[in-house]
Amino acid sequence: MMDLELKDKVVVITGASTGIGLGVSRAFARQGAHVVMAARNEARVKEEAARLTDEFSVRCIGVSCDVATPEGTDRLIGSTRDAFGGTDILINNAGTGSNEKIADAPDEKWNAYWELHVMAAVRLARGFIPMMKERGGGVILHNASVCAAQPLGFEPIYNVTKSALQMFSRCLAEEVIGDNIRVNCINPGLVMTPDWAKTAKLHAGEKWEDYLRNVAKELAPINRFATVDELADAFLFLCSPRSSFWVGGAYFVDGGQKRTV
């Protein structure tokens, strides 16, 4: 197995109690990293953190917070400082899809997604970058979406805010690379998560698996969803010293879903 040099690194991951965030937390713990797992559901995030601690003999803590609010990001920053003195890696993963028409979506919905997908990343960068500088550098990875470059018609707010997150990632990369802090953006396509299964069951009932096969056939040339583990491998590499020359990029892990060059 390639040594990704992640042992004993401290990693902060938002949206970490389920889906991609949980899978990525598990992948880092398996590598010997210590993980600060942030999510809104206190019982679930603490339970998952305890499970990873026991399984991989690393220190994982669960922090209950809503990173779409200044109070939530402050809580995460403070909890990480108290527990580890700072962090080596920040993964902004918290997010969710939307479903609306532009003509009908109220300002409040636009603002809510802006706070979750963009301002959470801005506030966490402001809070954690000084700590990374003290540690001699670090890595920030933003989980955007293939929709940042190739929008889906039913979720314009998601498309717009994920595109903004990608641009923020690029701007931040140029600002902090002189401090040995690498910033990149990862843009997944279809990934099999509990949210996708829930959506499919609502639309298709007992035939939910057929529904998902049709979604994959329509959108991705590879004709399937990625597993969370497949995507987590990309997160590991982009946060490891093995990708030391990768700066300011937007890397698509999408099974060919993005149809442009």
Side-chain angles (χ1 to χ4, degrees):
M1 182 176 69
M2 179 186 292
D3 181 8
L4 293 175
E5 302 174 53
L6 293 168
K7 182 176 174 58
D8 291 326
K9 297 293 186 182
V10 178
V11 187
V12 175
I13 303 174
T14 66
S17 66
T18 189
I20 292 172
L22 179 57
V24 172
S25 297
R26 183 179 181 82
F28 274 97
R30 185 184 292 115
Q31 291 286 326
H34 309 293
V35 187
V36 180
M37 302 168 65
R40 289 176 298 177
N41 188 312
E42 182 173 11
R44 186 164 62 194
V45 74
K46 289 186 179 297
E47 179 183 350
E48 295 295 351
R51 182 178 290 116
L52 295 185
T53 295
D54 291 343
E55 183 173 355
F56 297 108
S57 299
V58 294
R59 188 180 178 197
C60 296
I61 66 170
V63 179
S64 173
C65 59
D66 182 357
V67 295
T69 67
E71 296 79 12
T73 53
D74 286 347
R75 178 179 174 85
L76 179 55
I77 293 162
S79 296
T80 303
R81 183 191 299 110
D82 292 344
F84 294 104
T87 189
D88 302 292
I89 298 167
L90 167 63
I91 297 176
N92 287 299
N93 167 73
T96 187
S98 65
N99 191 335
E100 64 281 319
K101 296 291 186 182
I102 292 173
D104 301 325
D107 288 1
E108 291 78 12
K109 188 171 187 179
W110 283 93
N111 290 336
Y113 276 83
W114 183 260
E115 293 287 334
L116 176 61
H117 290 161
V118 182
M119 290 310 300
V122 172
R123 293 175 183 129
L124 291 174
R126 286 198 303 246
F128 281 120
I129 283 172
M131 299 184 201
M132 290 182 176
K133 289 180 180 180
E134 292 176 358
R135 297 162 85 92
V139 176
I140 299 175
L141 183 60
H142 299 105
N143 185 15
S145 169
V146 64
C147 296
Q150 181 168 291
L152 287 175
F154 61 83
E155 52 183 8
I157 296 178
Y158 180 84
N159 300 333
V160 169
T161 53
K162 287 295 189 176
S163 183
L165 176 61
Q166 179 176 301
M167 179 57 77
F168 170 69
S169 183
R170 175 64 191 181
C171 293
L172 184 63
E174 297 202 15
E175 187 170 312
V176 298
I177 188 56
D179 298 304
N180 195 34
I181 299 172
R182 294 190 302 109
V183 182
N184 284 297
C185 187
I186 188 167
N187 291 343
L190 300 174
V191 181
M192 183 50 61
T193 63
D195 276 351
W196 263 114
K198 180 180 178 180
T199 298
K201 289 173 184 177
L202 287 174
H203 283 281
E206 294 182 358
K207 296 184 178 180
W208 67 274
E209 291 176 315
D210 291 336
Y211 174 90
L212 291 177
R213 277 190 285 270
N214 288 333
V215 169
K217 185 176 181 180
E218 177 185 356
L219 296 178
I222 201 171
N223 286 334
R224 67 174 178 86
F225 280 66
T227 66
V228 170
D229 287 344
E230 285 177 307
L231 181 61
D233 286 341
F235 277 77
L236 291 176
F237 177 74
L238 286 169
C239 292
S240 78
R242 296 284 182 169
S243 62
S244 58
F245 204 65
W246 298 36
V247 177
Y251 303 104
F252 290 83
V253 185
D254 64 356
Q257 185 175 342
K258 185 171 77 74
R259 302 304 175 96
T260 57
V261 296

